[in-house]
Structures are given as C-alpha cells and as structure tokens.
Amino acid sequence: MKKFLFIMRHLPNIGIHVQETLDMILTTAAFDQSVSLLFVDDGVVQLNALQNAKSLGLRDTNAVFSALEIYDVKQIYVEIESLQARGLQVTDLILPVQLIQRRETSAFLQQYDVLLTD
C-alpha cells in the first residue's frame, strides 16, 4: 500500500478545481490506499465552517469533507502559519485536524510515497 498525501493550496470556490481534487481523494481512498491531507496557504479556507458553495452554483465541499471518515481518511493536517495568516482558528474548521508548523513541512513530506497538489 502506498502512502498518498494530497496538498490542498487553493481557495475553495474558484471553479471546480477543489471538487475534482476531492473526487481524486475519494477514489484513491476507495482503492484501500493510505490517504492523508495537508492544507496550506489559501487551502486552509476550504475547511472553514462558514463556506457557502451552493450560492455560487458549486457542489457543497463541506459535505464531501465530512464523508472523508467513511473512506478512512482521518489524517488531516493544517499548517499553523496558514491558519493564522487568514485569521482562522482550529475551532473555525469543519473537521478535526492535526497542526503542523511550516518548518516541519519538509520532513513531514518525506513520509509519503506520492504527493499530489490541487
């Protein structure tokens, strides 16, 4: 089994890019691969509990994120500095996450066989 890390960097409601990445995450997890997520930069906004994608005509990604546990995707990491820069706190997020500091990222990435970025 390979270890996949999906790095989420983009704002949530700009086109269908995030939706397509979520489809890849669910597909990978459905084939019994080890899947983890890392949210950095603007990607941390994807987990903001106050998202309203339907008003923009996009799929509700909050519902998909909530389904990750069903697919055994439980390793969800957020870069602390990215949260702070966007005025968010862990309590603002829709999922329980593990925090990682930017200086730890390089060593963290080395744990994975496959890195994919949105």
Side-chain angles (χ1 to χ4, degrees):
M1 175 186 321
K2 290 196 180 236
K3 292 178 67 177
F4 287 77
L5 178 67
F6 287 83
I7 304 169
M8 311 297 277
R9 296 182 174 276
H10 293 97
L11 289 169
N13 297 322
I14 298 182
I16 61 169
H17 195 71
V18 171
Q19 295 172 19
E20 289 175 345
T21 302
L22 284 170
D23 289 343
M24 288 187 337
I25 291 167
L26 296 178
T27 301
T28 303
F31 284 96
D32 293 326
Q33 299 300 312
S34 173
V35 175
S36 299
L37 307 178
L38 171 63
F39 292 84
V40 298
D41 303 328
D42 287 335
V44 298
V45 178
Q46 294 178 32
L47 295 178
N48 186 346
L50 300 177
Q51 294 300 314
N52 188 2
K54 288 186 179 188
S55 68
L56 299 172
L58 298 172
R59 186 171 74 186
D60 181 7
T61 55
N62 283 357
V64 177
F65 281 124
S66 297
L68 290 176
E69 189 171 2
I70 296 168
Y71 287 82
D72 206 27
V73 178
K74 298 175 185 168
Q75 300 300 315
I76 301 171
Y77 301 89
V78 171
E79 184 188 72
I80 296 168
E81 292 84 352
S82 295
L83 272 182
Q84 293 170 340
R86 284 142 190 92
L88 294 171
Q89 298 178 14
V90 172
T91 55
D92 297 325
L93 306 180
I94 59 171
L95 295 174
V97 299
Q98 297 176 53
L99 298 176
I100 183 170
Q101 293 184 338
R102 185 170 290 152
R103 62 182 160 80
E104 300 170 340
T105 304
S106 180
F108 176 78
L109 296 177
Q110 293 178 13
Q111 301 174 56
Y112 294 91
D113 301 309
V114 181
L115 303 175
L116 299 158
T117 186
D118 75 348

